[in-house]
Amino acid sequence: MFHLDAAGGQGGHVIIHKRHPNKRDKRLAQVIKKYIGLNRAYRGYSFRTDLHNCNVLRHRGIDYSLVESGFITSKHDYRNLKKHRAKLAKAYIEAITHENLNTKKK
């Protein structure tokens, strides 16, 4: 799942369903760090159990990460989201699938 916070901050983070990030969570946080910047309050991750949609998945044993890519009201975040949207999309896919998407055809 992807989400943009509405107001009051800068940078993104990954909401996780276990107390410690897994390898995919770490890869997703690196994408945010590279293209947007991490929200300093979370150091890349936040363990949350108070989000209904996420709890439905967690209680069913479905692995998930909620990617908060930044703050839509932050000029810095918005500029970077807009500037890097194609790179972000590719990097998120690579982080989730743990594959390298080679864009060059041979």
Side-chain angles (χ1 to χ4, degrees):
M1 292 189 274
F2 297 92
H3 173 73
L4 290 169
D5 279 330
Q10 184 174 324
H13 69 285
V14 181
I15 294 176
I16 57 178
H17 69 287
K18 294 182 179 176
R19 294 207 177 269
H20 302 287
N22 61 29
K23 291 178 182 180
R24 183 196 61 230
D25 299 326
K26 291 177 182 180
R27 292 190 302 266
L28 289 167
Q30 286 302 310
V31 171
I32 298 167
K33 181 179 180 180
K34 181 176 181 178
Y35 293 108
I36 307 298
L38 294 175
N39 185 304
R40 294 177 192 197
Y42 299 109
R43 296 184 175 182
Y45 317 97
S46 63
F47 171 67
R48 301 271 303 267
T49 60
D50 61 339
L51 302 171
H52 178 70
N53 289 343
C54 294
N55 277 339
V56 170
L57 298 172
R58 191 168 59 84
H59 290 302
R60 292 181 180 175
I62 299 171
D63 188 26
Y64 74 86
S65 301
L66 173 58
V67 177
E68 294 200 351
S69 296
F71 284 79
I72 200 162
T73 56
S74 163
K75 289 180 182 181
H76 172 269
D77 290 0
Y78 182 76
R79 182 176 57 246
N80 283 330
L81 285 164
K82 191 173 177 181
K83 178 180 178 183
H84 300 296
R85 69 178 163 227
K87 292 177 185 176
L88 273 164
K90 181 179 183 248
Y92 281 144
I93 291 168
E94 289 179 338
I96 292 166
T97 64
H98 200 214
E99 296 179 27
N100 183 4
L101 302 177
N102 189 352
T103 58
K104 295 180 181 179
K105 293 183 180 182
K106 294 182 180 183

